[in-house]
Amino acid sequence: MTFNNYIDGRWVPSRGGAVFENRNPADQTDLIGTFQESTPEDAADAVAAASRAYASWRLVPAPKRAEILFRAAALIAARKEEFARDMTREMGKVLEETRGDVQEAIDMTYFMAGEGRRLYGQTVPSELRNKFAMSVRQPVGVCAVITPWNFPMAIPSWKIIPALVCGNTVVFKPATLTPLSAVNFVGVLEEAGVPPGVVNLVTGGADVGTALTTHPDVSVVSFTGSTAVGRLVNQNAASAFKKVHLEMGGKNVVMIMDDAQLELAVDGCLWGGFGTTGQRCTAASRVVVHEQVYEDFVEAFVERTRALRVGNGLDPGVQMGPSVSDAQVATVGRYVEIGRQEGARLLTGGRRLCDGAYARGFFHEPTIFGDVQPAMAVAQEEIFGPVVSVMRCRSLDEAIAIGNGVTYGLSASIYTRDVNKAFTAMRDMYTGIFYVNAPTIGAEVHLPFGGTKATGNGHREAGVAALDVFSEWKSIYVDFSGRLQRAQIDTE
Ligand code: NAD
């Protein structure tokens, strides 16, 4: 089946006529469909449609915009299972997790639709008599939404829904590896009654992304993806002073203290390290363990990791699916080799799985390196695969120093029963997200989400913080005195 772009309320093919295939990463013989390999001209058509639609959409009362979004949330909820299956088929994570991904889109859509009746500003007293002062949020214009493949419905919802509730219009370019989930999401918005041109979908790769980030009529660029591409997006959008929101890579850390509940910590590291096959921006790819409990932790962690069932995410009982692509599993292999050469100790895993049905997909053993030194590449660089690097520490201070000693700053966690240690780490880890006695993954939609340093550029998605990306503040003064009053000068 061939899927089209969605521009100005119509499902249309790319002007260039080229398409690309979308295949199941667990089974490359399974063709999911062909999608439009769009051109910069298609992107320009979508921006033009979004610009036209903005003129009327921004004037629709926010509670009315929200009514459409509430309908969309209910439609996604009704199709949760179907959308989750499509997602597992196109990007590989296990069904339980893709259900969670769709649920996050439902939660976000309900949460942000609720903002239609809030979008709070402030009223404040004026320093002058008979004068009224307030601040209101105003929409910004056309938003380009560029997303990765690892959360193919959740991440688009984090961006598109707040953009819409604020009164903006959207051109959405999903990752080439997950266009079906994008089609599913946009189809629901259409069915819910989002007017033509308000949301547009253009599938394709870097050319489409570049066309959007450089288009003069795009006012906001909201990007989630790798730090390398995020830097390019930032540079491309800078000369026109676009508002740019970047969520990028991570190298997240779990710190396990000598008083931790070790079994709980092992559970957390398994889920945080190998959930989504390690392909989460918040994946627990580093574990720093107090030397007193290092051996016990490693023994249990390795044993539990060896027992993980790897396979097609659609099979019940499978706990870890494939990597998303040939390139991604090759990257995993490359880092396993680098880790070996650096002198890290391979404790389990380390091989690509190629026997039997595995040969049709991109499977890799869940892999743990022990005795890792903080400066090694496997402890510094984002691998985005099922590889966890375990390090030793002698104290909380050392764990925090190792934890902060990377270029990224997305998520961190501590396992301890000592409240003093928990609060110290909570204060001193320079990350956007922090967990106590839980792994580095598990964000909820009503709190801000994002990272520091090379992970983000100071914005946040989710929570009401996301509204700051998709709206601008306008301060309004109403003078009803009937005379000229000069702020900072007139005293009466
Ligand atoms: P990627 O950077 O390769 O691609 C992201 C998106 O950018 C895709 O839609 C891609 O087509 C598009 N793109 C590529 N070149 C472009 C260009 N020149 N201009 C504009 N757009 C362009 O990332 P990916 O492989 O899809 O996703 C994995 C990365 O995403 C990891 O680094 C991961 O940490 C990160 N990620 C971050 C978060 C977060 O919230 N911080 C969440 C999920 C994923």
Side-chain angles (χ1 to χ4, degrees):
M1 181 168 176
T2 299
F3 296 87
N4 284 336
N5 288 332
Y6 182 69
I7 298 176
D8 212 7
R10 291 185 314 123
W11 293 92
V12 292
S14 162
R15 283 187 192 225
V19 292
F20 63 92
E21 287 184 349
N22 181 16
R23 287 179 182 271
N24 184 340
D27 179 358
Q28 285 288 283
T29 63
D30 177 20
L31 176 66
I32 293 158
T34 53
F35 292 81
Q36 302 305 309
E37 182 71 67
S38 305
T39 63
E41 290 72 36
D42 298 317
D45 288 349
V47 173
S51 298
R52 285 192 301 275
Y54 178 62
S56 51
W57 181 247
R58 75 185 181 90
L59 299 178
V60 174
K64 296 288 174 206
R65 296 197 289 257
E67 280 173 19
I68 299 174
L69 302 180
F70 278 122
R71 280 201 295 277
L75 285 169
I76 305 169
R79 291 188 205 149
K80 179 173 167 179
E81 191 60 22
E82 174 195 336
F83 288 171
R85 284 184 175 276
D86 281 351
M87 195 185 291
T88 294
R89 208 176 143 210
E90 78 172 343
M91 59 74 68
K93 65 185 173 186
V94 299
L95 204 45
E96 199 180 21
E97 291 190 44
T98 51
R99 288 187 189 118
D101 193 306
V102 178
Q103 186 60 45
E104 203 166 328
I106 297 165
D107 294 343
M108 179 56 82
T109 306
Y110 276 125
F111 173 73
M112 277 297 164
E115 281 303 314
R117 286 193 183 268
R118 288 187 291 266
L119 287 177
Y120 293 141
Q122 291 184 316
T123 59
V124 294
S126 167
E127 66 191 46
L128 294 164
R129 286 172 191 271
N130 297 323
K131 193 170 174 189
F132 188 88
M134 63 186 163
S135 62
V136 297
R137 289 187 185 277
Q138 61 179 355
V140 194
V142 175
C143 303
V145 166
I146 301 175
T147 56
W149 44 264
N150 64 339
F151 281 85
M153 197 168 283
I155 290 179
S157 79
W158 295 359
K159 300 175 185 301
I160 294 173
I161 304 299
L164 294 182
V165 83
C166 288
N168 307 283
T169 56
V170 169
V171 178
F172 170 28
K173 193 214 83 63
T176 47
L177 292 166
T178 49
L180 180 56
S181 295
V183 165
N184 286 340
F185 189 63
V186 170
V188 154
L189 294 175
E190 177 190 31
E191 197 178 330
V194 171
V198 171
V199 172
N200 305 273
L201 170 70
V202 188
T203 56
D207 285 356
V208 181
T210 304
L212 293 175
T213 53
T214 53
H215 196 294
D217 294 338
V218 168
S219 304
V220 178
V221 177
S222 181
F223 167 89
T224 299
S226 61
T227 297
V229 174
R231 183 173 289 115
L232 214 56
V233 165
N234 209 16
Q235 286 163 352
N236 283 341
S239 61
F241 305 113
K242 295 184 195 310
K243 194 170 184 182
V244 181
H245 161 224
L246 304 170
E247 293 295 343
M248 301 172 285
K251 191 72 184 177
N252 314 287
V253 69
V254 174
M255 299 175 289
I256 301 171
M257 296 296 100
D258 50 353
D259 64 348
Q261 266 178 280
L262 271 197
E263 239 175 84
L264 186 67
V266 171
D267 280 343
C269 291
L270 270 182
W271 174 229
F274 302 117
T276 320
T277 320
Q279 302 170 122
R280 288 191 185 219
C281 51
T282 51
S285 52
R286 297 184 295 154
V287 180
V288 179
V289 192
H290 195 284
E291 59 184 2
Q292 298 285 340
V293 294
Y294 181 90
E295 298 299 340
D296 289 347
F297 168 79
V298 161
E299 190 185 330
F301 187 35
V302 167
E303 189 186 322
R304 296 277 304 280
T305 299
R306 286 198 178 126
L308 284 175
R309 288 183 298 277
V310 180
N312 187 326
L314 289 170
D315 293 343
V318 162
Q319 292 165 296
M320 194 184 96
S323 291
V324 76
S325 65
D326 209 13
Q328 204 70 43
V329 79
T331 301
V332 172
R334 194 159 48 80
Y335 273 103
V336 168
E337 198 41 48
I338 289 171
R340 277 197 176 113
Q341 282 170 11
E342 288 178 310
R345 199 147 65 89
L346 186 63
L347 298 176
T348 185
R351 287 178 311 140
R352 185 168 173 174
L353 294 163
C354 298
D355 297 342
Y358 286 138
R360 296 204 296 273
F362 309 124
F363 296 94
H364 196 281
E365 290 176 326
T367 298
I368 303 174
F369 277 117
D371 295 337
V372 172
Q373 297 304 313
M376 290 179 180
V378 288
Q380 288 288 326
E381 296 170 23
E382 185 182 53
I383 301 173
F384 228 53
V387 182
V388 176
S389 297
V390 187
M391 290 166 267
R392 283 173 206 263
C393 70
R394 280 164 304 221
S395 64
L396 174 64
D397 284 352
E398 191 184 359
I400 291 172
I402 293 171
N404 279 329
V406 291
T407 54
Y408 299 108
L410 185 51
S411 183
S413 98
I414 188 165
Y415 282 86
T416 180
R417 279 181 274 206
D418 181 338
V419 70
N420 297 357
K421 287 186 179 139
F423 269 85
T424 303
M426 202 185 302
R427 181 193 62 198
D428 292 346
M429 282 304 300
Y430 186 52
T431 54
I433 305 168
F434 190 78
Y435 295 88
V436 178
N437 292 328
T440 52
I441 65 179
E444 301 179 27
V445 302
H446 49 303
L447 278 81
F449 182 96
T452 61
K453 302 193 281 187
T455 298
N457 65 339
H459 296 287
R460 290 290 182 269
E461 44 199 352
V464 286
L467 299 175
D468 291 333
V469 172
F470 297 105
S471 64
E472 279 181 308
W473 286 112
K474 182 183 278 176
S475 298
I476 300 174
Y477 303 91
V478 183
D479 191 320
F480 54 100
S481 70
R483 61 194 173 93
L484 175 67
Q485 298 197 92
R486 299 172 301 170
Q488 293 91 37
I489 295 172
D490 294 335
T491 50
E492 256 309 301

